[in-house]
Amino acid sequence: MTDHSPITIHWFTIDNVDKLDTPALVVYPDRVQANIDLLKTMIDDVARLRPHVKTYKNREVTQLLLDAGINKFKCATIAEAELLAICKAPDVLLAYQPVGPKLHRFIKLIHAYPQTKFSCLVDNDVAAKEISDAAKRYEISIDVYLDLNVGMNRTGIAPGFEALQLYMDCAVLPGINPVGLHAYDGHIHDIDLEKRTERCDAGFKAVLKLQQDLHGKGYPEPVIVAGGSPTFIIHAKRKQVQCSPGTFVYWDRGYEVGIPEQLFLPAVLVITRVVSLPDATKLCLDVGHKSVSAENELGKRVYFLNAPELIPTGQSEEHLVVEAGKGHHCQIGDVLYGIPHHVCPTVALHERIYTIENNTLTSEWLNSARDRKITI
């Protein structure tokens, strides 16, 4: 970005960027569509896809997925579930165990959107009983998936005897209907695909055994929902497993580098401007913690496509200071195009995302499910 010769038009260049205040999140819909099309070529049956809405959080991408023949979805919040229901998604799994007020909101959701089939997770008897009592009280039946801990160590019950017993307990509780097993292995993200596959297969063995044990006891064979983006192509080879990648629609720098065999296109960028020149070698940009995910170390938050040489040295709520080196030609107002290292929480920081079509700012999509509540 260092010279001011005539601008080279790249895929990401915004011709009318002077109309865009920064920091801003922008999306390239043609690249989103290309990513959806690519995903469908990576699995034998589109019916086995259950993408996670947490990455994009808006109606427009949901509609693109529905138009592509994808009818099953996964989400983590009541707002995300309601967004999907508003779009008339047929099948929505709340990949969370609803307890307390969240359970009551979940029940309201089921009543408010009867055209959508909702299900949720459970990993203990106490929550299972609470869900059962609520379902019985409101005279409904709720499908539940047993949440299995295959190494994430945050929620879930280890696949084995206790999990078998919990599934059987759920089967006799009124108002709930155990239908499957949920195994999220997000802790597995080795760059080397062979190593990633080895770890994924090792963790999945106990899940498969639990499925077989339950079927052997006379239960309908439980559906298995497994994996995220890093293990998607591994689970996609298992003929009966539903796969739930999420990041593929937008992609990001973390997966671009960390999962090189998946050739999805970065489709979302954070746009920022140089707002100050603190000294002869540094730039200050208007992209702080409030506009790009900051859970990673400083060097893994945003990668600038038109200035990859910049080295971040400090970040606060509204600013990012970068080292540009001696003799740089950057000026106040220069525009930078950055790929977020982690796009999912970055999207959650922005109430809207601006669409770029044919290198032109055209419209905006509301990230309505970034809020904790839409109507319920």
Side-chain angles (χ1 to χ4, degrees):
M1 124 176 229
T2 56
D3 68 58
H4 291 272
S5 54
I7 296 173
T8 300
I9 302 299
H10 299 284
W11 69 262
F12 54 82
T13 304
I14 304 171
D15 293 340
N16 56 343
V17 73
D18 57 308
K19 297 183 181 299
L20 184 67
D21 191 14
T22 52
L25 195 67
V26 302
V27 61
Y28 299 77
D30 59 329
R31 295 171 77 87
V32 175
Q33 185 63 60
N35 287 341
I36 294 171
D37 293 343
L38 175 59
L39 182 81
K40 291 173 63 177
T41 70
M42 297 166 69
I43 198 164
D44 62 328
D45 186 353
V46 70
R48 291 177 51 216
L49 291 171
R50 188 182 282 276
H52 204 310
V53 70
K54 68 172 184 173
T55 299
Y56 64 87
K57 300 179 184 291
N58 60 58
R59 299 187 189 193
E60 287 79 3
V61 174
T62 300
Q63 193 59 54
L64 289 175
L65 292 165
L66 287 167
D67 291 344
I70 295 170
N71 293 316
K72 301 182 184 73
F73 295 84
K74 195 165 98 169
C75 62
T77 71
I78 297 297
E80 290 173 357
E82 185 171 9
L83 168 75
L84 291 166
I86 288 170
C87 295
K88 296 182 170 54
D91 185 333
V92 175
L93 168 59
L94 177 68
Y96 211 90
Q97 182 166 241
V99 297
K102 194 181 302 294
L103 175 57
H104 296 297
R105 293 177 68 200
F106 187 57
I107 298 291
K108 283 184 178 181
L109 199 65
I110 293 171
H111 282 296
Y113 298 96
Q115 81 283 356
T116 296
K117 183 175 181 60
F118 294 98
S119 53
C120 67
L121 301 185
V122 65
D123 72 3
N124 65 79
D125 280 315
V126 174
K129 180 66 163 56
E130 185 180 354
I131 297 170
S132 168
D133 289 344
K136 184 179 178 182
R137 186 180 315 123
Y138 292 100
E139 299 181 337
I140 58 175
S141 178
I142 300 175
D143 286 351
V144 298
Y145 288 75
L146 208 63
D147 189 21
L148 300 176
N149 180 7
V150 291
M152 280 293 289
N153 299 325
R154 62 181 186 190
T155 64
I157 184 171
F161 177 76
E162 290 184 0
L164 179 71
Q165 187 61 54
L166 177 58
Y167 197 96
M168 295 169 63
D169 290 345
C170 288
V172 297
L173 285 172
I176 64 174
N177 177 39
V179 296
L181 309 172
H182 176 264
Y184 178 59
D185 49 16
H187 60 294
I188 301 174
H189 40 72
D190 304 81
I191 294 178
D192 180 73
L193 178 58
E194 185 175 343
K195 177 65 175 176
R196 202 183 326 142
T197 302
E198 181 182 324
R199 293 181 63 197
C200 178
D201 289 346
F204 191 74
K205 283 181 181 178
V207 178
L208 193 58
K209 183 178 186 305
L210 178 59
Q211 182 195 48
Q212 293 168 344
D213 288 347
L214 285 164
H215 190 52
K217 287 187 175 294
Y219 295 96
E221 185 171 274
V223 174
I224 297 178
V225 177
S229 293
T231 55
F232 166 63
I233 62 170
I234 303 166
H235 289 300
K237 296 177 182 177
R238 311 187 202 281
K239 296 296 184 181
Q240 303 303 317
V241 172
Q242 291 181 12
C243 301
S244 51
T247 309
F248 74 94
V249 290
Y250 286 169
W251 217 225
D252 58 25
R253 181 63 176 173
Y255 281 162
E256 184 179 51
V257 173
I259 316 177
E261 79 284 348
Q262 295 190 33
L263 302 178
F264 296 107
L265 303 174
V268 161
L269 301 180
V270 174
I271 310 301
T272 180
R273 283 184 170 88
V274 178
V275 295
S276 184
L277 303 175
D279 62 34
T281 66
K282 289 186 176 61
L283 317 176
C284 183
L285 316 176
D286 60 355
V287 58
H289 300 154
K290 292 180 180 178
S291 50
V292 70
S293 176
E295 86 270 31
N296 290 303
E297 56 96 0
L298 192 56
K300 291 184 177 181
R301 295 181 185 175
V302 60
Y303 173 81
F304 297 110
L305 290 169
N306 60 329
E309 73 279 2
L310 297 181
I311 301 172
T313 60
Q315 191 178 34
S316 56
E317 291 184 41
E318 305 289 355
H319 303 94
L320 174 67
V321 177
V322 297
E323 177 65 44
K326 293 181 179 179
H328 73 79
H329 299 288
C330 300
Q331 298 179 4
I332 301 296
D334 281 353
V335 175
L336 293 169
Y337 297 79
I339 304 179
H341 188 84
H342 193 182
V343 72
C344 306
T346 297
V347 169
L349 296 170
H350 295 262
E351 66 177 358
R352 66 195 67 232
I353 187 166
Y354 297 91
T355 57
I356 311 301
E357 300 170 275
N358 298 318
N359 298 103
T360 303
L361 172 65
T362 55
S363 186
E364 60 186 52
W365 299 343
L366 294 180
N367 297 324
S368 53
R370 73 186 283 268
D371 297 332
R372 284 289 169 178
K373 178 180 179 181
I374 296 180
T375 69
I376 291 176

